[in-house]
Amino acid sequence: MKKGTEHPVTEQILLRKGARKVEEIPEDVIKLLQKGQIQSVNLTEWLAIDHLQLLSVIVDELDLRKEVDPMLQRCSQWSETRIMKIIPAIASEWLQSLETFSTNDQQRIFHGLATHASDSVRCWAVYMIGLDPQLGLAEKLETMRPFAADAHFGVREISWMAVRESLSQEVMEAITFLAEWVQEEDPNIRRFAVEATRPRGVWAKHIPELKENPELGLPLLEAVKADSSRYVQDSVANWLNDASKTKPDWVQQVCAEWLERSNSKETKRIVTRAQRSLMKK
């Protein structure tokens, strides 16, 4: 950007609601997003970001242009444009590039990504955790905790998606570990525990073991069957709605039992939404 054309981060920009369509995003907003200086405020902005352009900016910001130039060269050859492919691909490139750095530099660089002002950059850090072959499932989940509680919706969504593959391979270990999370005060943490284990999920691989044996997830679901947070309620309902696609009788039974034991408006809302697919049949 030429000198004198910088766009200041004004209060109006920070408090914006966000455009409905990509072409309606103001020029100053998209430029600040691409420079990593502000966060996206809705899905439209989140999807509009050019991650390869942002990557180049961040590399310069971290003063790593020379060290990671091979990474940038490889990325420049990509034809992939789907964001849910681009984010893990960039994370994988970072993991590969960091192998050439000392442990201290690896930690410094990861910290820079993980705490960046840009939610998109933090999403790369999230997938670096999820894709790291040196981390076991428990380590991945514990390291993911700050991102599961992130104030930004996109980072929270990516956090559970990033561990989905590892979780699907060790379902019972994951449920045992996350059983403590559904007791946490932070609704974002409780929601992560439920969303990460959904039998089907959105934009994510299915978990065959939970599709066929959804009762395995009850230690998590029972704890939040009357949760005060709508964010958590929706996740519980969606979990059961997923399960209803393969085990409809089981879902109906669970919902009936919950209503018998909990007459709260929260439980009623959950079971109503949980059975929405069954009601259509």
Side-chain angles (χ1 to χ4, degrees), residues 196-224:
T197 56
R198 281 178 58 179
R200 292 174 180 265
V202 180
W203 291 359
K205 286 185 61 176
H206 293 184
I207 302 179
E209 191 170 352
L210 290 174
K211 287 169 64 176
E212 294 305 315
N213 304 287
E215 64 275 7
L216 296 176
L218 278 176
L220 304 179
L221 302 177
E222 285 281 355
V224 286

Side-chain angles (χ1 to χ4, degrees), residues 249-265:
D249 292 343
W250 178 82
V251 171
Q252 290 178 319
Q253 179 183 344
V254 168
C255 288
E257 291 178 356
W258 282 7
L259 287 176
E260 286 183 9
R261 291 187 281 128
S262 174
N263 195 35
S264 71
K265 62 180 181 180

